Amino acid sequence: MIDFQISPASPNDREAELLIRRHLDQMASQSPEESCHALDGSGLDNPSVAFFLLRREGMALGMGALKRLAEDAFELKSMHTLAEARGSGAGRAMLEYLLDLARGENAAGIYLETGSTPDFQPARKLYESYGFTECGPFGDYAEDPWSTFMHLDLRSVP
């Protein structure tokens, strides 16, 4: 098993800025601007958002965040793993970390928005493997053919 370290970080740290930039660039290359819902550094630097970096041997390979939507609900944000680290279990490790964190906050559910195109199928499959199911738009989102909305009821999964 690969040893990853996940810790809180500031989205303004240099390592985080580089990951955020790569994530935003990738999202912009895969979806029209009006359908890109990824947060930039200023959006992630918010009291309602907990931001984390995943490292292996000191190198930042991925990031993820939880945004509080309500007292008992969170949104998964900014899940991104460097292309060089995909398939290593980094994304799965970050997802498990964030799910555990939400459970520790007594969350009833977690929502997410991801792309609907084939480029995003690996992400959707990962989320489905943890029990996320498709749902309608939540929060400030609107119906969008480029988006897939998902929800995980934490009360019904161990």
Side-chain angles (χ1 to χ4, degrees):
M1 179 166 181
I2 297 177
D3 186 30
F4 297 111
Q5 300 81 43
I6 300 173
S7 58
S10 167
N12 300 312
D13 291 344
R14 183 72 181 136
E15 287 178 306
E17 286 177 343
L18 293 172
L19 276 167
I20 293 166
R21 173 56 28 220
R22 283 182 69 165
H23 179 59
L24 293 173
D25 289 347
Q26 181 182 354
M27 296 302 98
S29 74
Q30 294 174 316
S31 302
E33 183 178 346
E34 65 275 9
S35 295
C36 285
H37 303 290
L39 295 176
D40 62 12
S42 65
L44 291 166
D45 190 18
N46 183 300
S48 68
V49 178
F51 179 77
F52 302 88
L53 287 179
L54 175 143
R55 293 182 175 84
R56 181 177 60 212
E57 297 176 1
M59 182 178 167
L61 301 176
M63 64 181 185
L66 278 179
K67 179 180 180 182
R68 187 176 291 276
L69 299 176
E71 187 172 318
D72 66 346
F74 287 90
E75 180 182 1
L76 191 64
K77 295 296 291 182
S78 301
M79 282 281 294
H80 181 77
T81 302
L82 293 179
E84 307 88 287
R86 293 203 181 121
S88 69
R92 190 169 292 278
M94 178 60 81
L95 180 56
E96 289 176 4
Y97 182 87
L98 295 174
L99 292 176
D100 286 346
L101 184 66
R103 283 185 189 100
E105 293 285 327
N106 297 314
I110 297 183
Y111 294 86
L112 65 87
E113 180 277 335
T114 190
S116 62
T117 62
D119 295 340
F120 293 92
Q121 185 175 11
R124 291 191 307 271
K125 291 286 187 196
L126 173 64
Y127 299 133
E128 288 169 1
S129 75
Y130 279 82
F132 282 86
T133 57
E134 287 192 33
C135 66
F138 59 90
D140 295 333
Y141 292 103
E143 282 292 339
D144 183 342
W146 292 86
S147 291
T148 296
F149 302 99
M150 302 181 87
H151 176 256
L152 176 64
D153 183 343
L154 290 172
R155 297 167 298 191
S156 67
V157 293

